[in-house]
């Protein structure tokens, strides 16, 4: 198994028109791990995921999955972004079931 991360995101910036909503976002997801993005409304979670899926243009390095640029992987992975009616007391497994 490779030591390189499964997902690498380096210094991406994205926005809509003159409004920049992501400023230099960087993170890794190690192989064999489970990751989630949590934050307040408007923090950029959905935009980050849309950038990874190629639905929102970015500046900066193109994110890579298993050392392959995500823009070349269209159709190889999916993304579902939706609201939830979960309560604050629900754990992640309950709110995604």
């Amino acid at each position: 198994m490779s030591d390189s991360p499964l997902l690498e995101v380096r210094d991406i910036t994205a926005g809509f028109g003159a409004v920049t909503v992501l400023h230099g976002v960087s993170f890794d997801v190690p192989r064999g791990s489970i990751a989630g993005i949590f934050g307040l409304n408007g923090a950029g979670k959905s935009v980050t995921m849309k950038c990874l899926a190629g639905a929102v243009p970015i500046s900066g390095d193109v994110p890579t999955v298993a050392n392959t640029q995500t823009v070349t992987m269209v159709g190889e992975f999916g993304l579902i972004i939706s609201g939830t009616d979960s309560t604050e007391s629900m754990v992640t497994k309950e709110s995604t079931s």
Side-chain angles (χ1 to χ4, degrees), residues 61-87:
D61 292 342
V62 174
T64 60
V65 176
N67 295 320
T68 302
Q69 291 185 340
T70 56
V71 294
T72 65
M73 298 181 68
V74 173
E76 293 188 35
F77 66 93
L79 172 64
I80 299 173
I81 298 175
S82 65
T84 179
D85 293 330
S86 63
T87 65

Side-chain angles (χ1 to χ4, degrees), residues 7-91:
L7 172 64
E8 293 182 74
V9 176
R10 294 284 175 268
D11 199 29
I12 62 172
T13 298
F16 303 97
V19 179
T20 302
V21 294
L22 297 180
H23 305 268
V25 173
S26 297
F27 62 90
D28 291 338
V29 176
R31 292 174 186 272
S33 67
I34 297 172
I37 299 177
F38 297 88
L40 298 173
N41 288 343
K45 303 174 299 292
S46 295
V47 174
T48 299
M49 296 307 297
K50 289 175 183 177
C51 288
L52 296 179
V56 172
I58 63 168
S59 62
D61 292 342
V62 174
T64 60
V65 176
N67 295 320
T68 302
Q69 291 185 340
T70 56
V71 294
T72 65
M73 298 181 68
V74 173
E76 293 188 35
F77 66 93
L79 172 64
I80 299 173
I81 298 175
S82 65
T84 179
D85 293 330
S86 63
T87 65
E88 290 182 16
S89 64
M90 290 179 84
V91 296

